[in-house]
Amino acid sequence: MFTPLDYFIFSASIIVSLCIGLYFGLCKKRQSADDYLLGNRSMKLVPIGLSMIASQISGVTLLAYPSEIYTFGANALWMCLAVAIACAITCYVYLPVIAKLKTPSIFQYVELRFGRRIKIITSGIYTLQVMFYNAIVIHLSAISFSQASGINSHVIEIIVCVTCILYTTVGGFKTVIWTDVVQLAGMVVAVFMVFILSVISAGGINRIYEKALEGHRLDFNFSADMTKKDGFWQILTGNIVIWIYNITFQAGVVQKYISLSSISNSKRAALMLGTGAIAFHLIGILMGIALYAKYSNCDPLTSGQITRADQIVSFFVTQHDENVPGLAGIFTAGIMCSGLSTLSATLNTLAATIYSDFISPFFPSTSLRSKEGCVLKLIVILTGLICTTLILFIERMSGILPFFMSLLGLVSGIFVGVFSLGMVFPLANAKGAFWAMAVSFLTVGSITIGNQWYTLQGGIESFAKPVSIDNCSIPINVTATSGHLLQPPFILFRLSVWYISVISLVLVIAIGLLVSWVTKRDGDVVDPELLSPLLIKKDTKIERMQKYLPGQPYCDTTYNFDTPTLI
């Protein structure tokens, strides 16, 4: 249970975030839309890079990732290679186009390239995904705190959401950045303290290595069998797509790229994000292996000491809190910091997305121009309240987290596919993009739903590594379960979830190019500024073409929400 020191540490993390938000909000009473959403495009590289890392590392990463390694082994190591490849692709293929956007919404590119209908669809998908993701992140963070302190998780959820909504609404973009920097420091301290303690508790590096070998946690799978859950090809290919989305097309990340003053700084920020993600994942892998060595002779899940695998880290912390005063407070503060950073970043991004894509196109610019700041703050409040309300539904849904992670692969594949059609394939048109998204969503969505349903029914092999309860010192009552179906499901429903993003991407590009080729018209022109520079010869003089958006002149002034433009 929490001690007064633990409560003090946790409360301090919340109060510091709130004070930063109030400082940036009150020291500048009136913020323009440019300042509120982009920090006046004059932000420094280091805080932006650190903020990007913080917003990508959530409680899902800190709690679920070590438990994944504990249960299934260290094949997830190949995710680090996938992140590195995704960073290289981002810097050379996509970022030179994205960094030229003037508006704070990545979906304005979709309108420039494919029209407003496709922009509305992609923006709507992103908005729904982020709202559910925020609810999951806050719920998991609150559950972790509740396990350590005994306080009802609903109380924690309300406190965290209200705090985050308040400082994000008042402070805007600069608040998000600087609170992320402080919260990242809290995450780093918490993760390293737990990691070091887990290594010491498990008996040191040599014993951890020996136990990992004995427990098959270091058995790496290079099989081409697509039905295997984890392996080199599954994790590498699937995570390349997912991390291209996370590093390149995730709307909050793009907003931070645009806030920087140059493309070179945007590339450096992408490399910082990739490096930070790799570092946190490596620590998660090592922590998961160390926790297995610690509990190799008495698995907490099988012995009934915990009810879900993702509780293993919290369980370890509560066991050692008496030996290390303040450990529970630091750990829960770190988990809560990860939730706050994710929620604040996405709330600010949702304000930009909803305002630019769903509000400003339908109202005269003259009626909104003087009220942009108030409208943006109102959107932050409303979306924050919606995310808070969704928590009530999330906590009543069984298996929502693994199902959402499968849907993340589907959404990542669709987004990377659509933006690749726009930036890499000049042939692609709006009809191709629309039908590609529809076919991919229906096809891969059906595969995803089928996979999750058969998994819950016990019809798909779990591939969990062996555990032991031979040396447990507590009474154990293990009930054997038999939930396997008599006949394995169709192979498409047994595919590794990592392939969902790959299949979605391939379908979008293949269907998009086919439909575009069938429906192409003579005279169709794509502004070369919308294409990746890899497709343009360096010795060719590029003239900007204004034909793509009839009746809308090319604009070289500062950005506005009325006419989406590139620099």
Side-chain angles (χ1 to χ4, degrees):
M1 298 297 290
F2 259 32
T3 64
L5 178 61
D6 294 323
Y7 281 112
F8 173 77
I9 294 172
F10 177 81
S11 301
S13 67
I14 299 292
I15 293 171
V16 168
S17 298
L18 184 59
C19 289
I20 293 174
L22 293 177
Y23 170 78
F24 280 104
L26 298 178
C27 71
K28 193 171 184 178
K29 295 182 179 180
R30 182 179 179 83
Q31 298 186 71
S32 65
D34 183 76
D35 197 28
Y36 190 79
L37 296 176
L38 294 174
N40 209 23
R41 294 180 69 107
S42 60
M43 298 298 297
K44 301 298 182 182
L45 171 62
V46 173
I48 287 293
L50 296 177
S51 173
M52 291 167 69
I53 296 172
S55 61
Q56 289 294 320
I57 305 301
S58 67
V60 177
T61 306
L62 302 181
L63 294 174
Y65 201 69
S67 70
E68 181 81 3
I69 306 302
Y70 177 96
T71 305
F72 300 104
N75 273 289
L77 175 67
W78 307 120
M79 185 183 296
C80 298
L81 177 59
V83 174
I85 294 174
C87 277
I89 294 174
T90 294
C91 291
Y92 288 101
V93 179
Y94 302 112
L95 198 53
V97 179
I98 291 174
K100 293 185 293 184
L101 284 170
K102 288 189 175 184
T103 58
S105 173
I106 179 62
F107 303 108
Q108 298 289 17
Y109 173 86
V110 180
E111 180 174 358
L112 281 166
R113 186 65 174 86
F114 296 123
R116 181 166 293 177
R117 179 176 67 165
I118 306 301
K119 181 190 74 170
I120 293 297
I121 294 173
T122 54
S123 181
I125 292 174
Y126 170 77
T127 300
L128 291 176
Q129 176 210 12
V130 166
M131 286 185 176
F132 276 100
Y133 180 64
N134 284 342
I136 291 173
V137 167
I138 296 302
H139 178 60
L140 288 180
S141 301
I143 287 295
S144 174
F145 183 89
S146 179
Q147 289 174 342
S149 65
I151 298 177
N152 189 289
S153 61
H154 294 297
V155 176
I156 305 304
E157 290 162 355
I158 293 174
I159 292 175
V160 171
C161 289
V162 170
T163 301
C164 191
I165 292 170
L166 179 59
Y167 74 69
T168 305
T169 302
V170 174
F173 186 75
K174 290 183 179 179
T175 292
V176 171
I177 299 303
W178 288 108
T179 52
D180 281 353
V181 171
V182 174
Q183 289 158 359
L184 179 63
M187 285 186 270
V188 170
V189 171
V191 169
F192 270 94
M193 282 193 65
V194 175
F195 168 65
I196 293 172
L197 184 60
S198 67
V199 172
I200 296 173
S201 179
I205 299 296
N206 291 334
R207 185 177 183 277
I208 291 173
Y209 179 71
E210 293 172 359
K211 286 294 182 180
L213 285 178
E214 293 175 5
H216 305 283
R217 263 55 183 184
L218 298 180
D219 291 352
F220 294 105
N221 171 31
F222 293 92
S223 171
D225 186 352
M226 298 179 69
T227 63
K228 298 291 185 181
K229 179 184 183 296
D230 294 325
F232 175 79
W233 298 109
Q234 294 92 324
I235 291 176
L236 181 67
T237 55
N239 276 283
I240 286 176
V241 179
I242 290 174
W243 277 97
I244 287 177
Y245 168 72
N246 287 338
I247 297 175
T248 313
F249 303 121
Q250 209 275 345
V253 170
V254 172
Q255 185 182 4
K256 292 168 185 175
Y257 287 142
I258 298 172
S259 72
L260 294 168
S261 58
S262 66
I263 293 179
S264 60
N265 277 344
S266 297
K267 290 182 178 180
R268 294 187 185 99
L271 293 177
M272 287 183 65
L273 171 56
T275 303
I278 290 173
F280 269 97
H281 283 97
L282 283 175
I283 292 296
I285 291 170
L286 296 174
M287 188 187 300
I289 295 174
L291 289 176
Y292 170 73
K294 166 68 177 176
Y295 298 115
S296 58
N297 294 322
C298 184
D299 175 49
L301 181 61
T302 307
S303 60
Q305 298 175 77
I306 58 176
T307 57
R308 299 194 313 271
D310 56 18
Q311 295 174 334
I312 188 73
V313 181
S314 299
F315 175 73
F316 173 80
V317 170
T318 55
Q319 276 197 323
H320 293 80
D321 185 43
E322 294 181 359
N323 300 326
V324 184
L327 176 64
I330 293 173
F331 174 72
T332 53
I335 297 298
M336 204 58 66
C337 282
S338 68
L340 284 169
S341 64
T342 300
L343 182 59
S344 63
T346 52
L347 287 179
N348 189 265
T349 303
L350 282 174
T353 301
I354 293 173
Y355 183 80
S356 61
D357 298 346
F358 298 104
I359 296 179
S360 63
F362 304 102
F363 292 90
S365 59
T366 54
S367 64
L368 290 177
R369 183 66 61 198
S370 61
K371 303 175 183 177
E372 280 183 347
C374 294
V375 174
L376 290 168
K377 292 180 180 181
L378 180 60
I379 295 173
V380 170
I381 295 173
L382 292 178
T383 52
L385 293 176
I386 292 173
C387 292
T388 306
T389 304
L390 286 175
I391 296 174
L392 300 176
F393 297 92
I394 293 297
E395 64 185 12
R396 288 173 171 78
M397 294 182 182
S398 176
I400 186 64
L401 180 57
F403 182 69
F404 178 82
M405 297 308 292
S406 298
L407 288 182
L408 176 61
L410 168 62
V411 173
S412 300
I414 290 177
F415 274 56
V416 175
V418 169
F419 283 100
S420 296
L421 282 175
M423 297 182 188
V424 181
F425 300 98
L427 170 67
N429 60 24
K431 290 182 179 179
F434 174 79
W435 286 108
M437 292 173 62
V439 172
S440 178
F441 187 83
L442 293 175
T443 304
V444 184
S446 300
I447 295 174
T448 301
I449 294 173
N451 176 278
Q452 292 301 311
W453 188 84
Y454 282 116
T455 298
L456 293 175
Q457 297 299 314
I460 297 179
E461 187 178 352
S462 70
F463 297 100
K465 301 295 184 181
V467 294
S468 173
I469 54 174
D470 293 341
N471 293 336
C472 290
S473 58
I474 60 174
I476 298 173
N477 182 18
V478 179
T479 303
T481 59
S482 177
H484 292 281
L485 300 178
L486 297 178
Q487 188 175 8
F490 184 57
I491 187 171
L492 284 178
F493 300 125
R494 290 186 283 119
L495 293 176
S496 169
V497 294
W498 296 116
Y499 282 125
I500 289 176
S501 61
V502 181
I503 297 173
S504 179
L505 170 63
V506 171
L507 275 178
V508 169
I509 293 179
I511 299 297
L513 291 178
L514 177 61
V515 174
S516 297
W517 180 75
V518 172
T519 60
K520 66 179 180 180
R521 298 177 301 176
D522 293 337
D524 283 348
V525 177
V526 178
D527 188 335
E529 294 292 326
L530 300 174
L531 301 175
S532 172
L534 292 180
L535 302 178
I536 303 173
K537 295 181 180 180
K538 294 183 179 180
D539 58 349
T540 301
K541 183 179 179 180
I542 301 299
E543 296 182 359
R544 290 174 174 170
M545 302 177 185
Q546 301 178 20
K547 186 176 179 180
Y548 192 77
L549 287 178
Q552 295 189 15
Y554 196 90
C555 178
D556 268 331
T557 59
T558 58
Y559 86 86
N560 59 74
F561 286 106
D562 307 315
T563 305
T565 61
L566 294 171
I567 292 175

